[in-house]
Amino acid sequence: MTLLGRLAGLLRPRPVDPMADPQILSAIGSSVRERLLADPRAQERGRSKADLFLLPGFLAPAECERLIATIESRIQPSKLFNERKVPNARTSSTHFFAQEAPETLALGHKIDEVTGIARSHAETIQGQRYRVGEEYRHHRDYFREERDHWQNERRRGGQRSWTAMVYLNAVEAGGETEFPELGLTVRPEPGLLIAWDNMDRSGRPNRNTRHAALPVISGEKYVITQWYRQEEWSRNYR
């Protein structure tokens, strides 16, 4: 192949994967953004680089305490899709909430009410615990289509759209969530929800959503994480 032919191949638009469809993802982003802008509790913090909102007091202190107890009831080391490439990038522990349990459904529907996204698009709710020195280094929540795990994830609901995370306690020192491209560092406080679109306004992965759970310096940190998919989510391949 000639140099001109190779250049033409590089410039040719890549076919759109229907499980990461920019039009669908852009529409989801627009719908959730409008819903949050109309919510008097929501504080916009994306600085025109991303759609990101804070909702203080989303959960009451008693709710946070109950969720912490549930997380502690069954917990295991957190995992990564690319653990071999980035060892020790995520050193927290994770609890997977029982999907059909009444308390899980109640929590899920409460988060869905904020985003307006159907529960059928939501992954299993997770709870994370970070102890002193534990962290989740800088990463992005969306899937990269060139990675091996995408072929599995596209069958389980496709690309991630929004992330919703709720802090369950105040941390004595450290444990902030840092978004370096947004110039934003969020300090944990009980019941505070943070939600962001992993896509940009065109429905494509937004690199400005890179974030990290900074190391806990003193105390412990507990959070709830909810990821939403473009299509209905399934544990199993379709």
Side-chain angles (χ1 to χ4, degrees):
M1 182 183 291
T2 66
L3 177 59
L4 185 60
R6 288 198 295 270
L7 288 173
L10 291 172
L11 294 173
R12 188 178 300 119
R14 186 173 62 181
V16 171
D17 189 321
M19 300 306 287
D21 189 317
Q23 288 189 329
I24 296 174
L25 290 163
S26 177
I28 294 171
S30 178
S31 175
V32 179
R33 178 173 67 253
E34 293 303 317
R35 189 179 185 91
L36 285 164
L37 287 171
D39 190 327
R41 301 170 298 173
Q43 304 170 4
E44 193 174 8
R45 291 288 186 270
R47 297 183 61 183
S48 77
K49 294 183 177 182
D51 287 314
L52 182 149
F53 298 83
L54 304 182
L55 280 79
F58 173 73
L59 292 179
E63 293 177 286
C64 293
E65 290 173 8
R66 286 196 297 271
L67 289 167
I68 289 173
T70 302
I71 291 170
E72 284 289 356
S73 70
R74 188 177 67 253
I75 200 162
Q76 61 191 42
S78 302
K79 295 182 179 180
L80 282 174
F81 286 103
N82 57 344
E83 191 76 52
R84 287 176 295 180
K85 291 185 178 181
V86 192
N88 299 319
R90 189 183 189 192
T91 53
S92 60
S93 296
T94 294
H95 170 88
F96 293 91
F97 283 80
Q99 276 196 296
E100 301 306 319
E103 60 271 20
T104 305
L105 290 172
L107 174 61
H109 288 311
K110 192 167 185 174
I111 298 173
D112 299 343
E113 184 63 28
V114 169
T115 65
I117 303 176
R119 180 98 307 246
S120 59
H121 290 247
E123 296 182 29
T124 300
I125 298 175
Q126 295 184 21
Q128 283 87 31
R129 180 192 67 198
Y130 295 82
R131 287 178 165 166
V132 172
E134 295 182 342
E135 64 180 322
Y136 193 173
R137 296 179 188 171
H138 289 96
H139 63 284
R140 299 174 179 90
D141 287 353
Y142 58 76
F143 299 118
R144 292 174 58 177
E145 295 176 47
E146 72 274 16
R147 295 285 176 86
D148 291 342
H149 64 252
W150 170 246
Q151 294 308 313
N152 293 333
E153 295 307 320
R154 70 180 306 281
R155 296 180 177 91
R156 306 205 311 167
Q159 185 60 279
R160 282 176 172 163
S161 56
W162 283 73
T163 297
M165 188 171 69
V166 188
Y167 302 101
L168 301 180
N169 70 311
V171 182
E172 293 176 20
E176 300 90 348
T177 305
E178 180 188 54
F179 292 82
E181 278 72 26
L182 305 181
L184 176 68
T185 301
V186 182
R187 184 175 182 178
E189 63 178 67
L192 170 64
L193 181 145
I194 177 171
W196 66 90
D197 191 352
N198 293 293
M199 302 293 110
D200 61 21
R201 298 282 177 95
S202 71
R204 300 184 185 279
N206 189 343
R207 295 183 61 81
N208 292 324
T209 59
R210 187 171 68 105
H211 59 286
L214 300 182
V216 171
I217 297 170
S218 178
E220 292 182 321
K221 172 186 172 183
Y222 292 87
V223 298
I224 294 291
T225 306
Q226 175 68 85
W227 291 288
Y228 292 96
R229 298 294 186 100
Q230 173 187 301
E231 306 297 332
E232 293 188 358
W233 183 79
S234 172
R235 290 190 189 90
N236 304 311
Y237 302 158
R238 297 183 177 184

